[in-house]
């Protein structure tokens, strides 16, 4: 039997949630930002909150205010977010009501919560993945409960969101790896104005039957006693057995979908009455009456709740608004890498590993005696050194594990050296590969993941845009996502339309990401180290045609391997070819701003104009070394921006516009741009491929036009 103190606490918080909903409705002009309330969902939410310990993690969704009250957050704290006040403890006025995040020792952790339904399921499953890894392999770092309880993760979501494809990716991974996570599905039969009957052929409980190993239970979520007993049992089961569980709780919806989408817009009186009959508040009141609590006692609880809510609402109204000066705070967490360190040209110390080479002459052990290495090996060596030094570093993605070591052999031998728990394959799940890094990072792991080809990064864009890029900003710096996402990119050798794409412009449109694009082995290693040490999400664009220097003219992509401690900071471009001072003085020079394969097209074309061409390799596209770019353009007065991407509406065009604006008085000619021709994809036929891509001849023609001015 549930102790009466628990029932009284639950009833008081239900009354508090009800008073909050009534207050918001009565003050609609004050509560001007869109919000949802938990009316109808209170019983299951409080039952869940009461089971959790500070070592646990929970991901509420936008209707979970009662869950937050049950965790110990006050109405005042929630109201600060409702009114987007400066002291909003979650997001500083940046995010909707009931979009919490929390990092502290007194309550369960809560990673950043987005508004996109179902999108939180992958990051939250990543939390469970991270906890499992720490529990098994870094047990001294595992946070436990006061009596040694093992942590669990709860992911709360509405039943309508279970139809999202990314939810199935998370379920698949959870059952495959037997993760300690509970998916709490609150089913109120509505997805905004779409009824369950018209949107899905099964509910979450039936859907879960298709995932062997996903335990499940269906309960009446408006019955507090049933909800509490089941959640207590399920949480204890997952704490002990470390396996995933789905709880489907049928609940009524007793408020509007949101303050902006009101129930009268789409719900019938009959539907409303059916939901009202299952209101959890009077149902719990009846239980208390049966336990002997008298009417005056219950009325006093209700009155106290209303009074507390009224007082705290007044305080929240009076709280200060955020200063406009803070609008750019927390876009990124500060990085410790601010200057170039180590020996760029020195031979690396011998690194342990198999005797025989994998990708090149010294692929297994690192370069020795100053011999040059290929870019693909520079990446491999960098990650090997990282994993030797940081036990929290793990690498996963498609085909990167033991048998293949990456389709480009860019992870070869790593699983053999570090084990399948640190280097492992995943299914074809780009969304999960990318989005799980949110949870992994939150628990202190440092994931390095790979998307096999740039063309296939698009299934992961939901997670990049919705969760990863915004996490630091919307959590006010509490949850930056520390991850390195490796993306082989670019065209060569007849790769065809789905293995040759350039995606940097699309990625650069997502704010909150850092993007590197090395063009040689030394830069690859230095930037990889900097990316790993950066507390923010970093995408490493690695050109497939430069990996082995197989493309004619790219021999310079091989360099001496830098020392083990070599680190190259982001935002520092490099002049890879200098023009002569006499050509500059005489106005007979120009500069090329480029990156990746463009560096080699530019250098090849420059041979036809001895001393007249200066080439800048950007090395990172965000942050961008604008100072170097603008100073270089100002010296020469003539500029070509060179890219492999389709030219129109590209990063290159945007950069050309910025150059034209910032260097207007120094320019002697319009800024030229050369890129791939504007076609939807790169053809497979190699003659057509070459016709589409830039090359040294096309760059030579552009230089000739510039030098005529």
């Amino acid at each position: 039997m549930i102790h009466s103190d628990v029932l009284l606490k639950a009833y008081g918080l239900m009354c508090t949630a009800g008073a909050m909903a009534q207050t918001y409705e009565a003050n609609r002009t004050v509560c001007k930002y869109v919000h949802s309330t938990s009316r109808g969902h209170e019983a299951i939410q409080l039952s869940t909150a009461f089971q959790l310990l500070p070592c646990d993690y929970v991901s509420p969704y936008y209707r979970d205010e009662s869950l937050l009250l049950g965790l110990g957050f006050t109405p005042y704290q929630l109201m600060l977010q409702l009114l987007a006040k400066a002291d909003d403890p979650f997001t500083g006025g940046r995010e909707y009501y009931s979009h919490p995040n929390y990092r502290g020792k007194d309550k369960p952790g809560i990673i950043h919560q987005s508004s996109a339904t179902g999108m939180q399921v992958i990051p939250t499953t990543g939390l469970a993945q991270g906890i499992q890894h720490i529990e098994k392999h870094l047990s001294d770092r595992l946070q436990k409960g006061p009596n040694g309880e093992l942590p669990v993760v709860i992911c709360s979501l509405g039943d309508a969101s279970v139809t999202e494809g990314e939810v199935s990716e998370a379920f698949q991974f959870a059952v495959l790896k037997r993760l300690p996570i509970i998916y709490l599905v609150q089913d109120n039969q509505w997805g905004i104005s779409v009824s369950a009957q018209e949107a899905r052929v099964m509910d979450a409980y039936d859907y879960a039957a298709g995932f062997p190993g996903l335990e499940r239970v269906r309960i009446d979520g408006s019955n507090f006693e049933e909800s509490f007993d089941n959640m207590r049992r399920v949480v204890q089961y997952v704490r002990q057995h470390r396996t995933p569980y789905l709880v489907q709780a049928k609940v009524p919806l007793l408020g509007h979908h949101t303050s902006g989408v009101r129930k009268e817009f789409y719900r019938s009186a009959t539907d409303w009455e059916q939901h009202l009959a299952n209101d959890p508040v009077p149902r719990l009141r009846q239980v208390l009456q049966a336990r002997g609590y008298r009417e005056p006692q219950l009325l006093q609880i209700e009155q106290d709740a209303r009074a507390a809510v009224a007082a705290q609402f007044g305080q929240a109204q009076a709280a200060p608004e955020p200063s406009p000066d803070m609008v750019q705070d927390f876009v990124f967490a500060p990085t410790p890498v601010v200057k170039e360190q180590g020996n760029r040209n020195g031979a690396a110390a011998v690194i342990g590993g198999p005797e025989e080479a994998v990708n090149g002459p010294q692929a297994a052990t690192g370069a020795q005696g100053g011999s040059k290495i290929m870019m693909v090996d520079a990446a491999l060596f960098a990650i090997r050194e990282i994993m030797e030094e940081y036990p929290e570093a793990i690498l996963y993605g498609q085909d990167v594990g033991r048998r293949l070591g990456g389709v480009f052999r860019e992870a070869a031998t790593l699983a053999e050296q570090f084990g399948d728990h640190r280097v492992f394959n995943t299914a074809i799940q780009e969304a999960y590969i990318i989005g799980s890094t949110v949870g992994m990072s939150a628990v202190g792991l440092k994931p390095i993941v790979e998307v096999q080809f740039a063309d296939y990064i698009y299934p992961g864009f939901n997670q990049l845009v919705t969760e990863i890029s915004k996490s630091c900003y919307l959590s006010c710096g509490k949850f930056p996502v520390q991850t390195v996402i490796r993306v082989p990119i670019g065209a060569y050798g007849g790769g065809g339309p789905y293995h040759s794409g350039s995606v940097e412009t699309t990625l650069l449109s997502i704010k909150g990401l850092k993007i590197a694009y090395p063009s040689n082995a030394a830069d690859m290693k230095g930037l990889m180290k900097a990316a790993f040490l950066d507390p923010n999400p970093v995408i490493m664009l690695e050109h497939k045609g430069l990996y082995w220097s197989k493309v004619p003219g790219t021999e310079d992509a091989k360099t001496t391997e830098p020392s083990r401690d070599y680190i190259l900071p982001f935002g520092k471009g490099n002049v890879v070819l200098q023009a002569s001072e006499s050509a500059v003085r005489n106005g007979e020079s120009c500069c090329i701003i480029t990156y990746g394969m463009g560096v080699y097209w530019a250098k090849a074309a420059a041979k036809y104009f001895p001393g007249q061409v200066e080439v800048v390799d950007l090395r990172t596209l965000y942050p961008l070394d604008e100072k170097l770019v603008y100073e270089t353009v100002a010296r020469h007065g003539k500029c070509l921006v060179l890219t492999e991407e389709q030219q129109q509406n590209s990063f290159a065009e945007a950069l050309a516009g910025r150059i034209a604006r910032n260097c207007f008085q120094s320019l002697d000619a319009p800024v030229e741009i050369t890129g791939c021709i504007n076609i939807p994809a790169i053809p497979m036929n190699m003659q057509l491929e070459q016709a589409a891509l830039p090359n040294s001849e096309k760059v030579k023609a552009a230089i000739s036009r510039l030098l005529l001015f």
Side-chain angles (χ1 to χ4, degrees):
M1 177 178 285
I2 303 172
H3 196 282
S4 293
D5 288 349
V6 174
L7 298 179
L8 285 173
K9 180 182 179 181
Y11 188 68
L13 291 174
M14 284 186 184
C15 292
T16 298
M20 292 163 70
Q22 291 170 358
T23 300
Y24 303 161
E25 185 68 10
N27 293 273
R28 290 175 60 187
T29 56
V30 175
C31 305
K32 57 189 176 184
Y33 301 109
V34 171
H35 57 271
S36 298
T37 72
S38 59
R39 281 291 290 119
H41 294 230
E42 300 97 330
I44 185 59
Q45 291 182 18
L46 292 170
S47 297
T48 301
F50 290 171
Q51 315 306 322
L52 297 181
L53 302 172
C55 64
D56 297 326
Y57 280 85
V58 58
S59 287
Y61 85 122
Y62 59 82
R63 201 177 294 283
D64 277 349
E65 66 180 357
S66 285
L67 190 153
L68 297 175
L69 291 171
L71 293 177
F73 293 101
T74 65
Y76 175 68
Q77 290 174 306
L78 303 187
M79 291 167 179
L80 288 173
Q81 187 173 54
L82 172 84
L83 302 178
K85 295 293 188 172
D87 295 332
D88 159 23
F90 307 126
T91 69
R94 291 171 163 87
E95 196 38 306
Y96 287 135
Y97 182 58
S98 194
H99 284 62
N101 59 81
Y102 186 75
R103 194 188 278 279
K105 295 183 178 180
D106 61 327
K107 297 180 181 68
I110 305 173
I111 58 175
H112 157 252
Q113 302 299 296
S114 72
S115 296
T117 56
M119 293 303 101
Q120 81 275 25
V121 182
I122 285 178
T124 308
T125 305
L127 279 170
Q129 181 186 354
I131 287 172
Q132 182 191 71
H133 182 89
I134 293 171
E135 182 183 343
K136 290 183 176 181
H137 307 291
L138 299 168
S139 58
D140 58 321
R141 304 187 186 188
L142 184 67
Q143 300 297 314
K144 296 183 180 180
N147 298 310
E149 296 94 341
L150 294 175
V152 300
V153 176
I154 290 186
C155 180
S156 176
L157 63 160
D159 195 76
S161 65
V162 175
T163 58
E164 284 278 7
E166 293 185 15
V167 174
S168 70
E169 289 194 23
F171 286 2
Q172 178 87 2
F173 198 92
V175 297
L176 178 67
K177 300 295 184 179
R178 294 183 60 84
L179 302 181
I181 185 168
I182 299 163
Y183 299 104
L184 171 61
V185 180
Q186 301 176 58
D187 184 5
N188 61 30
Q189 296 289 293
W190 285 102
I192 309 184
S193 67
V194 181
S195 69
Q197 291 75 20
E198 63 184 310
R200 52 192 187 269
V201 297
M202 66 187 82
D203 64 16
Y205 178 85
D206 290 331
Y207 184 60
F211 296 88
L214 181 56
E215 302 291 335
R216 59 193 175 126
V217 64
R218 181 188 276 136
I219 64 173
D220 179 358
S222 64
N223 182 319
F224 180 79
E225 291 178 298
E226 181 179 338
S227 296
F228 186 90
D229 285 339
N230 273 278
M231 291 309 300
R232 177 169 55 186
R233 177 183 60 80
V234 169
V235 169
Q236 289 175 348
Y237 183 89
V238 176
R239 284 201 200 282
Q240 179 181 353
H241 295 282
R242 320 306 284 157
T243 191
Y245 218 116
L246 183 138
V247 177
Q248 190 206 13
K250 186 75 175 293
V251 291
L253 177 60
L254 298 181
H256 308 288
H257 168 69
T258 66
S259 57
V261 182
R262 304 181 66 76
K263 65 179 185 291
E264 54 267 23
F265 295 173
Y266 63 94
R267 296 180 68 180
S268 67
T270 300
D271 175 79
W272 175 253
E273 289 167 3
Q274 289 172 344
H275 281 245
L276 198 61
N278 288 312
D279 189 336
V281 182
R283 294 183 70 175
L284 181 54
R285 200 177 199 276
Q286 291 172 2
V287 172
L288 289 168
Q289 288 173 327
R291 291 270 186 112
Y293 289 94
R294 298 180 180 275
E295 189 69 12
Q297 293 174 283
L298 300 177
L299 289 173
Q300 187 64 52
I301 292 172
E302 296 159 12
Q303 180 180 333
D304 290 347
R306 287 193 295 270
V309 166
Q312 291 180 62
F313 186 69
Q315 290 177 310
Q317 283 183 269
E321 298 285 333
S323 167
D325 294 338
M326 65 169 286
V327 71
Q328 294 188 76
D329 292 352
F330 306 114
V331 175
F332 292 109
T335 176
V337 180
V338 294
K339 63 180 182 179
E340 191 170 2
Q341 302 175 45
N343 187 349
R344 179 180 176 88
N345 300 310
V350 176
I351 304 166
E355 291 297 325
E356 59 196 85
V358 177
N359 294 327
Q362 301 295 336
T365 59
Q368 302 175 53
S371 60
K372 291 186 176 182
I373 62 169
M374 297 179 293
M375 275 184 62
V376 68
D377 288 335
L380 174 66
F381 299 159
I383 292 175
R384 177 179 289 150
E385 291 169 2
I386 286 167
M387 297 190 78
E388 288 174 336
E389 186 173 354
Y390 297 93
E392 64 270 33
I394 59 175
L395 170 67
Y396 58 97
Q398 296 168 33
D399 297 300
V400 302
R402 182 179 298 266
R403 284 181 293 277
L404 187 58
V407 295
F408 300 104
R409 305 293 281 155
E410 71 282 0
T413 74
L414 293 178
E416 286 82 356
Q417 181 173 350
F418 299 105
D420 296 330
H421 64 291
R422 293 187 66 192
V423 181
F424 56 89
N425 294 322
T426 67
I428 303 172
Q429 294 182 328
E430 287 85 2
Y432 188 86
I433 292 168
I434 290 173
S436 60
T437 65
V438 177
M440 299 282 270
S441 172
V443 297
L445 297 177
K446 297 181 179 180
I448 303 169
V449 299
E450 181 179 309
V451 174
Q452 202 164 76
F453 293 93
D455 308 77
Y456 299 139
I457 197 171
Y458 296 105
F461 258 64
N462 273 343
Q463 293 297 320
L464 278 175
V465 174
T466 305
E467 308 297 334
I468 288 179
S469 66
K470 295 178 173 63
S471 184
C472 185
Y473 184 70
L474 293 180
S475 68
C476 292
K478 292 192 287 297
F479 287 101
V481 180
Q482 184 168 15
T483 184
V484 179
I485 302 171
R486 300 184 63 187
V487 183
I489 192 171
Y492 87 103
Y498 293 101
H499 298 83
S500 306
S502 293
V503 298
E504 56 264 34
T505 293
T506 312
L507 289 168
L508 285 162
S509 70
I510 307 171
K511 311 311 172 191
L513 304 177
K514 294 186 179 182
I515 299 174
Y517 203 139
S519 68
N520 60 69
D523 288 350
M524 172 72 85
K525 186 171 183 182
L527 290 171
M528 188 72 77
K529 293 289 186 76
F532 178 80
L533 295 172
D534 199 306
N536 301 286
V538 176
I539 296 178
M540 293 288 298
L541 299 178
E542 306 173 16
H543 200 291
K544 305 188 301 291
L546 298 178
Y547 265 158
W548 300 291
S549 293
K550 288 185 176 180
V551 177
T554 62
E555 187 68 19
D556 286 349
K558 300 177 184 177
T559 70
T560 301
E561 184 184 6
S563 62
R564 187 183 186 94
D565 61 347
Y566 180 64
I567 303 173
L568 179 62
F570 278 45
K572 301 294 182 183
N574 186 34
V575 178
V576 296
L577 180 68
Q578 288 188 323
S580 69
E581 287 300 321
S582 60
V584 175
R585 283 195 306 270
N586 295 332
E588 298 172 344
S589 67
C590 68
C591 63
I592 301 177
I593 311 298
T594 189
Y595 54 94
M597 187 64 77
V599 170
Y600 300 97
W601 293 325
K603 289 168 69 175
K607 292 178 180 178
Y608 295 95
F609 309 92
Q612 291 184 274
V613 179
E614 191 149 303
V615 180
V616 171
D617 180 358
L618 294 174
R619 302 201 287 201
T620 64
L621 306 186
Y622 196 92
L624 182 70
D625 193 345
E626 292 185 336
K627 182 174 183 291
L628 175 62
V629 169
Y630 298 152
E631 286 178 352
T632 303
V633 173
R635 282 183 66 235
H636 297 277
K638 306 180 187 72
C639 174
L640 166 65
V641 180
L642 174 60
T643 179
E644 184 172 325
E645 275 196 298
Q646 287 84 346
Q647 179 179 321
Q648 287 186 359
N649 305 315
S650 65
F651 160 68
E653 282 199 334
L655 178 56
R658 287 154 68 185
I659 291 170
R661 182 171 63 253
N662 285 277
C663 302
F664 179 75
Q665 293 182 322
S666 303
L667 288 172
D668 298 321
V671 179
E672 280 265 358
I673 308 162
T674 297
C676 180
I677 63 175
N678 295 298
I679 53 178
I682 304 299
M684 186 170 66
N685 177 277
M686 284 190 275
Q687 287 183 315
L688 295 178
E689 178 187 74
Q690 288 304 309
L693 292 173
N695 56 39
S696 59
E697 287 300 314
K698 294 177 183 179
V699 176
K700 176 184 172 185
I703 294 171
S704 296
R705 291 193 297 270
L706 272 177
L707 293 178
L708 287 175
F709 283 91

